[in-house]
Amino acid sequence: MKSNTAETEQNRVEWVALFVLLLWCLLPVGMCVFDILAGISGKLFPGKNVFEAAKDYGLGTNYLMSINAYHFAFCVLGIVTVLFGIFCVIRARRRIIDRKKLRSMPWFYLLVALLAWAFVCAAVSNSFLRASFGSNVLFDGLFSYLIYAGVFICAASIRRENHRRVLLHCFCGVLVLLAAILLVQEAGNTFLRACMPSMHAVVFNQFNHFGYLLCMGIIAFTGLYLYDGKAVKILKVLYLLGSALLTYTLLVNDTFGSYLATLAALPVAYLFYMKSGRKLGFADLAPAILFLLISLWSLLDLRNGGAGTGLAGNMSQLGTDIINIASNPESAAMAGTRRFIKWMDTLKRIRQRPLFGFGPEGFYGVNAIAEGDAPHNEYLQIAGYLGIPGLLLYLGALVTLAVHHWKRIREMDPMVLAVSGATVVYLFSACFGNPVYNTAPYYWMFLGLTTATRELEKPLLCVDDDVDSSKDAKGKTTIVLAGIVLVIAALGARLYMELMDEKINEFADLQAMRNAELTVEADYVFKELDGGGTFWYNAENYMLIPEDQPQPLPYGLGRPICGNTWYDFSERFGKIYDYDESTDYTDKIICVKVGYDNDGKLLTDIRWVSVQ
């Protein structure tokens, strides 16, 4: 009777977990609806009609509104997910401290250790406040780490193959819808061009972020095509069409790192397929053949129109970069759209603090790396933020999970194999990208789904009658919970003190000013800076305007919508103004003067100017 009650409770938990994960899958659609409704209402482009707003397609006038709305939705859904994850941990506390589980599921404990180590690194970092919440761009602090842990726990609670199939269908279906929106945008639809926050990205604010999801979707469709034994022929055709659509969209999106990741992950997906005991027939190769044919068509088509763009241009540039890295150190700095110089500089930073790193989002101010605040390599980023021990814990979790599944691959449920491929392609793309709040949850969802082997296998985080419930076990649980409460209290006290010191609304501004690191969104501003000149910074519309135009509204120190638009511009570009705490900047605006020296080096003079 007791066992049946536990089973019923576990089924309820799994249904709640499934519902939460479906909300995560549908979140981008909800954000699209938000942007479209905001566009219909006219709130996105006050003072402009839709045709005028579409001219700002490179950086839509709704950029700040969209990114802030996504932050808010991420936080709300994230808090719900974390609370559910805490519930799962509490109800399975005896099972977690069971030594048998430590030996059979080491990856879970390594990930727990990684999360605990992240708190340690944050506590000894220069700013626990920044380490807790990250910057407004990446939002990659402890708060996001907890949300990712909650998503992972939800996914690890899924035991039924049908539920995994439902999640895959929902994820892939959402990506098809987003891909269709992007293609309609690119075809010239004025309204969607104005509504979406920036070029190519749909609701993800940056096209590379969308690229990470597209490559996961391509491999997920491939997994469904290979492993979904319940699919009728028409559904198999739809899987192929979905994979082809996402492949074409990935090429239009022009995220070359994600394209290379997909190219590398396809053979791995087929290796899993053969290792699982299935025979590989010609029909099974259809997703890979379609991917290669669409790639070949893109190469031939773009070469006819010019080999310097698209896939052909990227392939050509890749060859040039490899040659430069091997033989021309000066030109190598430009390799990988300047990623190589970021990686080399990150390695230098890792050597400076190999044990604790700089804490989450620690590359800023005097600790900033070349060309930005993130290295565009997730593994280097983990080592830089959490030290070498953090990277070893992360890789250890992945390796132990992979070894465990490789030995039992013939026993694994088909949908577990299908999601494993999507996890692998993300790990490949992580060599060229950053974990971002609007894409990373889906990786952790897929990673959690892979932790099962067979259907109805008991997940780690469930109540189990066969674990020790003695007084000794209860005593260990009490000690662990008390320790967690003490650590949270200590870190909370430090966070409170930093909040009182910095005043949370002014945090982004103060961090930039005190560390002599002031900037604008590089993708937009560099286009304006090419010709030099003097500009006002219009904080409301997130852009620079020529000096001969009317002055914009005051910058307004402490207004997040303004402060968060300036971040980590390397001081090597010139003179940066000093911040004086005794001065009231609420009635001032920023003036950016741009020029070049005799060697063509960019020089800037950024200063406060009183509103006239």
Side-chain angles (χ1 to χ4, degrees), residues 367-396:
N367 298 322
I369 61 171
E371 301 295 328
D373 58 354
H376 284 76
N377 180 300
E378 190 167 335
Y379 308 103
L380 291 178
Q381 181 168 309
I382 292 172
Y385 287 175
L386 309 180
I388 295 176
L391 179 62
L392 292 178
L393 287 170
Y394 179 63
L395 294 178

Side-chain angles (χ1 to χ4, degrees), residues 516-533:
E517 299 278 346
L518 179 65
T519 104
V520 288
E521 172 73 26
D523 287 343
Y524 182 80
V525 173
F526 284 159
K527 293 187 295 184
E528 298 288 350
L529 300 187
D530 283 343

Side-chain angles (χ1 to χ4, degrees), residues 428-460:
F428 282 139
S429 69
C431 295
F432 314 103
N434 306 311
V436 186
Y437 69 95
N438 50 19
T439 58
Y442 305 103
Y443 160 66
W444 288 101
M445 179 182 75
F446 284 130
L447 188 65
L449 290 174
T450 64
T451 57
T453 304
R454 294 173 294 276
E455 182 167 357
L456 301 183
E457 179 181 56
K458 281 189 175 181
L460 177 64

Side-chain angles (χ1 to χ4, degrees), residues 140-417:
D140 194 34
L142 293 176
F143 179 67
S144 295
Y145 293 0
L146 288 172
I147 292 175
Y148 302 155
V151 172
F152 177 86
I153 289 171
C154 284
S157 302
I158 303 297
R159 301 184 302 164
R160 286 171 168 75
E161 182 180 341
N162 282 339
H163 289 172
R164 299 188 192 104
R165 182 182 289 104
V166 167
L167 283 171
L168 269 178
H169 282 173
C170 184
F171 176 78
C172 291
V174 165
L175 283 184
V176 167
L177 177 61
L178 297 178
I181 292 175
L182 184 146
L183 294 177
V184 172
Q185 281 181 269
E186 295 302 303
N189 184 278
T190 305
F191 180 73
L192 285 180
R193 285 168 68 99
C195 287
M196 295 301 112
S198 57
M199 188 167 54
H200 298 328
V202 190
V203 293
F204 297 103
N205 306 315
Q206 214 278 344
F207 70 99
N208 284 332
H209 303 167
F210 189 31
Y212 307 153
L213 291 187
L214 287 172
C215 68
M216 293 174 72
I218 293 169
I219 302 300
F221 266 126
T222 301
L224 284 169
Y225 179 83
L226 292 175
Y227 297 108
D228 190 358
K230 297 181 180 180
V232 294
K233 288 185 179 180
I234 185 63
L235 192 54
K236 289 271 190 177
V237 173
L238 290 177
Y239 291 158
L240 283 178
L241 292 177
S243 176
L245 177 67
L246 296 189
T247 299
Y248 177 71
T249 306
L250 180 61
L251 292 171
V252 172
N253 189 63
D254 199 23
T255 304
F256 189 51
S258 297
Y259 176 83
L260 291 178
T262 310
L263 195 62
L266 277 171
V268 176
Y270 282 103
L271 177 63
F272 288 175
Y273 187 75
M274 292 184 290
K275 178 67 176 177
S276 67
R278 294 167 172 83
K279 292 183 179 180
L280 184 64
F282 181 77
D284 298 322
L285 294 173
I289 292 172
L290 264 178
F291 179 84
L292 294 176
L293 287 175
I294 294 172
S295 300
L296 180 61
W297 172 82
S298 178
L299 281 169
L300 296 174
D301 181 63
L302 290 173
R303 279 178 178 163
N304 289 333
T309 60
L311 184 57
N314 286 327
M315 289 290 190
S316 176
Q317 187 61 51
L318 176 63
T320 302
D321 288 345
I322 293 173
I323 294 172
N324 287 337
I325 291 172
S327 60
N328 191 344
E330 293 183 2
S331 299
M334 301 294 293
T337 55
R338 306 188 75 87
R339 278 170 169 75
F340 187 74
I341 189 174
K342 295 174 189 279
W343 298 344
M344 294 299 101
D345 207 38
T346 302
L347 288 173
K348 294 178 184 178
R349 294 296 186 191
I350 293 171
R351 286 194 291 268
Q352 291 176 6
R353 295 188 186 178
L355 184 58
F356 296 106
F358 292 86
E361 289 250 36
F363 293 144
Y364 69 97
V366 294
N367 298 322
I369 61 171
E371 301 295 328
D373 58 354
H376 284 76
N377 180 300
E378 190 167 335
Y379 308 103
L380 291 178
Q381 181 168 309
I382 292 172
Y385 287 175
L386 309 180
I388 295 176
L391 179 62
L392 292 178
L393 287 170
Y394 179 63
L395 294 178
L398 295 177
V399 169
T400 53
L401 179 60
V403 170
H404 176 274
H405 280 16
W406 186 255
K407 292 179 179 178
R408 296 164 179 80
I409 194 168
R410 290 177 179 268
E411 307 170 17
M412 290 173 66
D413 281 345
M415 289 301 104
V416 176
L417 287 168

